[in-house]
Amino acid sequence: MNILEVRNLTKKYPGFTLDGATFDVEEGCVMGFIGRNGAGKTTTIKCMLNLAHADGGQVFFEGKDLLANEAACKKEIGLVLGMVSYYQRKKLKTITEVTKQFYDEWDEPLYQSLMKRFALDPDKKVTELSQGMRVKYALALALSHHAKLLILDEPTSGLDPVSRDELLYIFRSIIEDGKHSILFSTHIISDLEKCADYITYIKEGKILCSTDAESFKDAYRLVSGESEDLERFREQLVGYRSHAFGFTGLMKKEDAERTAGLKIAPADMESIMIYTEKEDGHESAAE
């Protein structure tokens, strides 16, 4: 069952267009929403939640039109935009007292257990928290009103590897009950290798694909060969990097299987994004 359905979402800005974004998020999964900075991830999220007015399209939450049922739907959605950066001088307990007034389903015992689990001191001010602790506090707020869907926009950006790994473990533990789902927007692809069940890939405002993580990786192959091979297979390459000994690049699986004379290896998410995002599809190591 899909908890979220996005259909033909469009938003036009000077110099940028979100062009008919369409994808689904299933219950009990982590959906990785990837793309380089400026690709349209945050614009999509803001239009989904009516934080920015979409020019077209629809969003359904649990089968209900989100715009027509905005207040009710948003009570079951937790949004974490980066990290907590508001009310810098306020104590966490003060922010919590204000926040919980907006949610009929606020669960105080759950909130207290999450604060303990995340080792958060309610008497601390926001300015006294590390980046990782700010994200944990935002998660504690979101989970305490029983949000069924967590939408996280670059939550691990700027964190050290240990803090990022800890948060990824938390994300996986959140969905274990099958009742929670996460839409996780990031450009840090290595994070998604560890936690994503599905991948939605956006480039220049267009959704390139939305599929399960294994199918996403299995659709491509890393290839390498000598300089003369490059001329033979240039048109089949999604992108490549040439060097003194030949080249390395990315091909779609079906094209790679039809080649002869190239070394072929499985592709990882980061390599797929790197080669797909090359502006002209090609690059020399000397560039």
Side-chain angles (χ1 to χ4, degrees):
M1 177 179 172
N2 295 327
I3 192 168
L4 182 74
E5 298 176 3
V6 180
R7 295 289 178 268
N8 299 311
L9 206 59
T10 301
K11 177 68 176 179
K12 294 183 179 180
Y13 290 109
F16 176 81
T17 298
L18 179 65
D19 190 4
T22 298
F23 61 92
D24 301 325
V25 177
E26 292 187 12
E27 276 188 329
C29 77
V30 176
M31 168 69 82
F33 190 27
I34 68 171
R36 67 188 304 172
N37 290 336
K41 300 188 300 296
T42 300
T43 296
T44 302
I45 289 171
K46 287 184 175 180
C47 288
M48 281 166 36
L49 299 177
N50 201 30
L51 299 176
H53 178 71
D55 296 320
Q58 286 183 291
V59 179
F60 299 93
F61 178 75
E62 293 190 315
K64 297 174 290 188
D65 187 302
L66 192 149
L67 190 60
N69 302 274
E70 188 171 357
C73 289
K74 284 186 174 179
K75 287 184 178 181
E76 298 189 87
I77 297 173
L79 175 64
V80 180
L81 293 172
M83 65 198 72
V84 178
S85 57
Y86 47 85
Y87 303 127
Q88 294 286 309
R89 298 292 176 181
K90 296 294 185 180
K91 292 182 178 180
L92 301 188
K93 64 182 181 182
T94 303
I95 298 173
T96 301
E97 284 302 314
V98 173
T99 301
K100 70 183 185 180
Q101 303 304 315
F102 294 93
Y103 299 102
D104 298 332
E105 299 298 320
W106 182 265
D107 188 332
E108 186 64 22
L110 176 59
Y111 170 73
Q112 295 297 338
S113 70
L114 288 167
M115 292 290 283
K116 184 176 180 180
R117 174 183 175 184
F118 297 157
L120 290 163
D121 182 350
D123 288 312
K124 290 278 190 180
K125 297 178 181 179
V126 172
T127 53
E128 299 176 292
L129 301 182
S130 67
Q131 292 183 4
M133 296 302 276
R134 293 186 188 198
V135 175
K136 289 179 183 178
Y137 177 60
L139 286 172
L141 291 179
L143 291 169
S144 294
H145 62 83
H146 294 286
K148 295 180 180 178
L149 173 64
L150 296 179
I151 299 177
L152 315 176
D153 190 17
E154 302 284 358
T156 59
S157 182
L159 300 184
D160 63 79
V162 175
S163 296
R164 280 173 32 218
D165 189 69
E166 183 181 7
L167 282 174
L168 297 178
Y169 176 80
I170 292 170
F171 297 162
R172 291 303 309 178
S173 67
I174 287 171
I175 67 165
E176 282 180 354
D177 61 3
K179 299 177 181 179
H180 296 85
S181 303
I182 295 176
L183 176 63
F184 178 14
S185 164
T186 186
H187 64 276
I188 305 175
I189 307 304
S190 58
D191 287 350
L192 296 180
E193 293 273 9
K194 299 177 182 178
C195 75
D197 302 298
Y198 295 86
I199 296 293
T200 295
Y201 185 4
I202 187 169
K203 180 180 179 182
E204 297 176 349
K206 295 182 179 182
I207 302 295
L208 294 187
C209 68
S210 187
T211 186
D212 66 273
E214 289 307 312
S215 294
F216 177 72
K217 291 186 290 185
D218 191 53
Y220 297 92
R221 294 290 185 269
L222 290 173
V223 297
S224 60
E226 299 180 358
S227 299
E228 53 267 28
D229 295 320
L230 179 57
E231 295 307 313
R232 293 170 55 205
F233 300 112
R234 190 188 300 268
E235 294 303 315
Q236 286 78 41
L237 290 162
V238 174
Y240 67 85
R241 177 174 289 130
S242 57
H243 48 76
F245 304 102
F247 75 97
T248 58
L250 185 76
M251 278 187 182
K252 290 185 177 180
K253 178 182 177 180
E254 57 269 25
D255 289 333
E257 290 175 344
R258 289 195 294 264
T259 64
L262 297 181
K263 294 180 180 178
I264 301 174
D268 56 83
M269 291 185 190
E270 189 164 351
S271 295
I272 293 171
M273 184 171 173
I274 287 172
Y275 285 111
T276 302
E277 291 290 342
K278 293 186 183 302
E279 292 186 2
D280 59 359
H282 313 102
E283 181 181 282
S284 168
E287 291 178 334

